[in-house]
Amino acid sequence: MKIAFAGKGGVGKTTLAAWVGDYLARKGAHVWMIDADTALSLGQASGLPAAELPAPLVTREDLVRERIGQGLISISAQVDDLPESLAVGLPVSSGNDSGGGKRLLVMGTIAAAGGGCACSANALLKALLAHVFLERDDYVMVDLEAGVEHLGRGAVEGVDGLVVVSEPSFRGLETAAAISELAGQLGLDNQVLVLNRTAAVPESLAVEGLPERVISFPPIQGLVERQLASPSVLGLPEQDEIDERVGRLFALLEEGRCR
Ligand SMILES: Nc1ncnc2c1ncn2[C@@H]1O[C@H](COP(=O)(O)OP(=O)(O)OP(=O)(O)O)[C@@H](O)[C@H]1O
Ligand SMILES: [Mg+2]
């Protein structure tokens, strides 16, 4: 299962990606955590010290030149060794003896523009993502750049579940609806809306075009306190409550894949 997390800035995409990935790893899954955002926060949200964060692939001109070149873009770039060689292991929270694990790949924004070899860098990112999606039978969590503009075919091709994250506000939901519509046009219909920092899903939402399936995540007080001291969103006192929601979210995504 390949799950992408999209939404407006600051709504909780990275937090949810970290929670779902950690939940699956604790259940024994092998999970690729893919940071496809310039903010590069998925590693730290998952408990990795900043000093251990790898350089984003989009900035690795050496590799881009080696694998893609600067002239004609090769869509058959050799990338099958890259997931292992570029990834760093992420700690799995609390007492993991399930055999599962998480590995972080830091890509940078997939549609990044500008710079001498941005186009080639983008081709390498896409080739690597496609490889992880299509050739690996693992779970993949993709933390996308905020907003609608970055949602393109390259970012969602091969993704089979989209989590659209929103705050419970009209403006936030409008962005969520725009993301949902665009993803639908790209063929990604298995979508769940997460209303973050919301105790319960309201009976009706005033915005049209939102994903039909909706789940809420309540405000987590332990995270509010944690944020002052650390960027990690894992190992919170409310872990059971978070896991219960994550389990429901995951079940919705699995069910949607079979429809
Ligand atoms: N349910 C929640 N309860 C309390 N705090 C939360 C909750 N969800 C997210 N947060 C906090 O809100 C902040 C924003 O979350 P996060 O970084 O996951 O958002 P994002 O959508 O990835 O942002 P960006 O667009 O900058 O990438 C973080 O400090 C996070 O710890
Ligand atoms: Mg983020």
Side-chain angles (χ1 to χ4, degrees):
M1 178 93 163
K2 281 78 183 170
I3 306 172
F5 297 78
K8 209 161 86 73
V11 291
K13 301 175 292 295
T14 302
T15 302
L16 278 151
W19 282 345
V20 177
D22 194 69
Y23 169 90
L24 292 171
R26 278 183 279 120
K27 295 218 170 295
H30 293 279
V31 188
W32 293 99
M33 305 291 289
I34 298 193
D35 196 339
D37 182 4
T38 28
L40 309 180
S41 47
L42 185 59
Q44 285 180 278
S46 304
L48 192 73
E52 291 174 32
L53 275 178
L57 181 56
V58 76
T59 65
R60 292 282 308 271
E61 287 180 24
D62 54 330
L63 261 179
V64 172
R65 208 171 304 118
E66 178 193 309
R67 302 301 171 100
I68 303 282
Q70 284 177 323
L72 278 181
I73 289 170
S74 155
I75 49 163
S76 55
Q78 195 230 322
V79 291
D80 47 358
D81 57 320
L82 291 184
E84 276 72 20
S85 66
L86 296 177
V88 295
L90 289 175
V92 177
S93 71
S94 67
N96 175 54
D97 50 13
S98 63
K102 292 180 288 180
R103 282 178 291 188
L104 173 71
L105 278 172
V106 179
M107 299 266 205
T109 306
I110 295 171
C117 70
C119 191
S120 305
N122 215 28
L124 183 60
L125 255 52
K126 284 183 183 165
L128 180 58
L129 251 194
H131 175 80
V132 174
F133 284 165
L134 301 173
E135 306 295 330
R136 305 300 177 96
D137 195 18
D138 295 327
Y139 288 95
V140 186
M141 308 293 123
V142 190
D143 183 17
L144 293 171
E145 177 96 50
V148 188
E149 312 76 51
H150 298 281
L151 202 68
R153 202 165 292 284
V156 300
E157 200 154 42
V159 169
D160 45 22
L162 180 70
V163 177
V164 183
V165 189
S166 181
E167 59 204 16
S169 73
F170 194 83
R171 294 267 315 274
L173 289 170
E174 280 185 326
T175 306
I179 289 171
S180 173
E181 189 187 342
L182 183 55
Q185 285 165 5
L186 294 168
L188 181 50
D189 292 320
N190 183 19
Q191 306 179 357
V192 176
L193 174 66
V194 166
L195 282 181
N196 196 13
R197 300 189 182 90
T198 314
V201 178
E203 282 207 351
S204 71
L205 294 167
V207 174
E208 303 261 312
L210 293 166
E212 277 167 34
R213 294 166 306 152
V214 188
I215 186 169
S216 69
F217 273 69
I220 302 293
Q221 185 56 31
L223 183 51
V224 174
E225 285 159 26
R226 165 74 68 78
Q227 266 167 199
L228 296 167
S230 153
S232 170
V233 302
L234 302 179
L236 295 166
E238 295 92 341
Q239 175 132 344
D240 291 348
E241 187 183 354
I242 294 168
D243 279 352
E244 188 267 329
R245 300 282 166 141
V246 169
R248 274 163 50 194
L249 170 61
F250 186 70
L252 286 173
L253 290 166
E254 284 261 272
E255 170 203 300
R257 204 157 59 128
C258 307
R259 286 200 302 191

